[in-house]
Structure formats: structure tokens, C-alpha cells
Amino acid sequence: MTYISAQPYLTNSWEDICYPVNPVWLSDLLPDYDIMATDRQQIIVGQAPGGRKTIFGIQSADYAIIPNVLIQEVVDQLFDEYKLQIKYTTTGEFSISIILPQELSIGGESLQRSLILTNSYNGKTPFSIQGQTMNTMLDSHSRPGSSMYRSVCENGLMGWADSFMELSDYQYWLKGSPKEKTNFEKGRIGATHYSKKDPGVRKIHHSRLTPDLFQQQLSELLTEQSQQRATLTATIYEHFQKSTANKATEQMLKSLPIPVQLAKQAYERLRFEQRLLGADASNWLMYNAVNYALFNARSSLTLNDRYKLDEKVFHQIAASTFA
């Protein structure tokens, strides 16, 4: 689950992540050797601006890398007006927020509609849109997710409750067994296998993904996702905002499924935002403080791990507020 410690960098420029990246075959590098590890046949090599050539990972022969430039070309073609926020690591992971002009009010704050895409060159974070793989989103039985951008802390907030039809469905699921929740979460960021119980959830097959096919599917999905609509997660955010956190806020942060050091940073961030906004501690500020800590702290967690923890925190806070 963990690997080299890294801290996400923040940028608003495609140039910082759209550098050359390509596969190099092990057989070309080692012509005098027989390569017996058939599941590891090519090295993914990239070179960031001003940096050295970097080996991000070793993949199977049928693995096809998704260069970030392919994403940029589709986004630039679809949207005349957008802002860009990218969080990336030197280990080759990317969280790309396309921030749209449409606004949404949560309490006294104004949030913006956004599209969050993840990608990686090291294979640790699968390509996803709004926390779902392309195959899941292309499934007609799957409900699309959403995301929102909060400028106060530059947080990208994923629509973790959007897969449910109604608030009552979500509340019922929160009371369910851990096994039921695990089955539901398959297909989120990090889903890496096919489940017979969940036939609509499949891992994206990179071996079948040509650049043209990828851009065609991405264009269709982003066009559909850019349409403004009411989301269940926004309703949950409103509930978070109205529910004041009690005096045991620090203790509750410690109970969340995040590393102890991140919980401490989240607590400090929570107090900072209270002073900044002149507001009482609420579950809304608590969730945002955790989100901020997860995506800005140095950690051995991959971006994929951080998103999975963010989702767990969201559901745990929701369960406590609806109890």
C-alpha cells in the first residue's frame, strides 16, 4: 500500500505534467539477457522540465501509458473557460482538477463545479474521472459522480455519495455491514479487479486503449459530466455545514481512519479555518481540514491511497452526523 515518501506539489500549468513519457523495452536495454518475468517487460520513462530521465515503473508487455498531454488536448478542445489546479508527485502521480465557472452555495461559502481526473505513470493510481474508472462510467447502470472546488483551501472535493439515488438510500447503506460497504466501494478509485457480485465494475484495460479511443471516450464522458445538476453529495455537505462539531473534535479526528500525523495536521488546519472564517467548528470544516491534510502532507501514501482514505473519512463523518 505504501511506497516512497512524497509530498504533492501544486501547479496551475499543464507544462509541469505534460512532459515526454514513453515505454522502453527491457529486451532493448538488455539484449544479451532472456527476460523471464513476463509480467514485467517495459520500463515507463519520463523527463520532467529541468529534470533527469526518471523510471516511474516497470509494467507488463500489454500495458499502454496514458500521457497527460492526451488529457490536455481533450480538455482544451471542450472548454473555452476553465481554471486548472493540479496536484502531482515526483513519483509520477497526478490529480487534475478542471474548475468550471458554475457556482454552488454551501452554507455561506461559494464552491465551483469541477472535474477531477487522476492519472499516474507508476501504475499506483489508476486513471479515473470523478473517482471512477472509465469502464465504470461507460456502464449505463452506473450513476455518475461529481466534484467541487473550494477556493478557501484549494480543496478538490469528490462526490462520494453521488452513486446513491436518494438520501434515504445513502443513510441505509451507512448503517449496513462492512461487507456491504466493501462491495459498493469496488469501482471507486483503486478498484483493481473484477467482481462477480458487481458485474458493472471492471478494471480499465490498458492493452485495448489506443490514444484515439481514449480521447474519444474521454471527450464523451467529460461533455456529459460538465452539465450542471443537483448532486446528493452537495446535500450531505449542507448537512455537514449545519452540524456543529462538539468539544471532542480533536478526539474525533483521532478516531478517523487516517495516520496520526495527518490527524494532527488536520486539527491545526481546522483551527486555522475557524479563525480565517470566524466560524465555529463544524463537520464541514472538519472534513475539509482532513482533505487538506491528506492532499498536502508528505507521506508514503500514494494519491490513490489518499483518495481512498478521503472517501472513508467522508462516510464516517456522515454516519456520525446522521446517527
Side-chain angles (χ1 to χ4, degrees):
M1 180 177 176
T2 58
Y3 72 135
I4 298 173
S5 179
Q7 181 171 9
Y9 291 92
L10 181 66
T11 183
N12 58 6
S13 172
W14 285 109
E15 293 180 0
D16 290 326
I17 67 166
C18 290
Y19 48 79
V21 60
N22 60 279
V24 177
W25 293 98
L26 283 174
S27 57
D28 292 338
L29 288 176
L30 304 168
D32 297 329
Y33 291 79
D34 291 327
I35 311 297
M36 306 309 294
T38 55
D39 61 332
R40 293 291 183 266
Q41 292 287 307
Q42 55 178 326
I43 298 173
I44 306 303
V45 180
Q47 187 169 10
R52 301 174 60 192
K53 289 185 177 180
T54 301
I55 297 175
F56 289 112
I58 305 177
Q59 304 292 349
S60 62
D62 62 355
Y63 183 88
I65 197 73
I66 299 175
N68 289 323
V69 68
L70 296 181
I71 302 172
Q72 179 192 5
E73 289 173 355
V74 172
V75 171
D76 285 343
Q77 184 178 32
L78 290 179
F79 305 110
D80 295 326
E81 184 181 357
Y82 71 89
K83 292 190 295 184
L84 186 66
Q85 187 213 64
I86 301 171
K87 292 184 178 179
Y88 68 99
T89 67
T90 56
T91 52
E93 295 180 275
F94 315 93
S95 175
I96 305 166
S97 291
I98 310 302
I99 304 164
L100 304 174
Q102 299 101 327
E103 294 187 349
L104 175 71
S105 178
I106 301 292
E109 293 188 43
S110 179
L111 277 65
Q112 288 179 268
R113 287 264 300 148
S114 68
L115 301 165
I116 297 180
L117 295 80
T118 67
N119 193 25
S120 72
Y121 294 159
N122 59 13
K124 300 290 184 179
T125 295
F127 180 83
S128 72
I129 306 170
Q130 312 291 40
Q132 296 174 291
T133 63
M134 287 183 71
N135 279 6
T136 302
M137 295 192 73
L138 290 167
D139 191 313
S140 60
H141 299 292
S142 177
R143 285 181 59 80
S146 67
S147 65
M148 282 158 270
Y149 175 74
R150 182 173 182 252
S151 60
V152 170
C153 49
E154 298 184 317
N155 281 3
L157 304 175
M158 201 78 78
W160 294 126
D162 290 347
S163 295
F164 294 88
M165 294 288 292
E166 303 288 344
L167 177 59
S168 58
D169 297 330
Y170 179 60
Q171 290 175 295
Y172 178 80
W173 175 80
L174 287 173
K175 298 176 182 179
S177 67
K179 183 177 180 180
E180 289 175 327
K181 293 180 181 180
T182 298
N183 285 337
F184 171 80
E185 287 168 3
K186 290 174 183 177
R188 299 287 197 176
I189 287 182
T192 57
H193 60 279
Y194 175 86
S195 168
K196 291 183 179 179
K197 294 181 180 179
D198 233 345
V201 176
R202 302 177 297 278
K203 181 179 178 182
I204 188 168
H205 294 286
H206 285 264
S207 59
R208 304 172 190 172
L209 201 65
T210 65
D212 288 342
L213 177 59
F214 168 75
Q215 289 191 310
Q216 175 189 338
Q217 292 182 343
L218 179 61
S219 179
E220 293 171 359
L221 291 171
L222 293 187
T223 299
E224 180 181 348
Q225 284 289 297
S226 64
Q227 304 303 313
Q228 190 166 13
R229 61 185 178 84
T231 68
L232 181 57
T233 301
T235 301
I236 307 299
Y237 287 158
E238 285 279 6
H239 185 70
F240 282 4
Q241 197 274 338
K242 294 175 182 177
S243 55
T244 302
N246 58 34
K247 295 181 180 180
T249 301
E250 186 173 9
Q251 193 60 38
M252 183 174 177
L253 278 169
K254 291 180 179 178
S255 73
L256 296 175
I258 56 176
V260 174
Q261 289 302 316
L262 291 185
K264 291 180 180 178
Q265 293 182 46
Y267 182 73
E268 293 173 359
R269 181 68 193 185
L270 173 62
R271 294 310 184 203
F272 170 79
E273 287 202 19
Q274 280 186 262
R275 296 191 299 269
L276 180 68
L277 300 172
D280 293 330
S282 65
N283 288 296
W284 167 248
L285 293 186
M286 182 188 298
Y287 172 61
N288 273 279
V290 173
N291 182 282
Y292 182 88
L294 278 172
F295 292 97
N296 288 278
R298 172 172 286 277
S299 173
S300 57
L301 295 168
T302 66
L303 281 184
N304 187 29
D305 295 334
R306 297 175 199 237
Y307 272 112
K308 287 193 287 186
L309 291 179
D310 184 68
E311 180 179 10
K312 289 180 179 179
V313 167
F314 175 87
H315 294 316
Q316 185 165 320
I317 294 177
S320 69
T321 61
F322 286 117

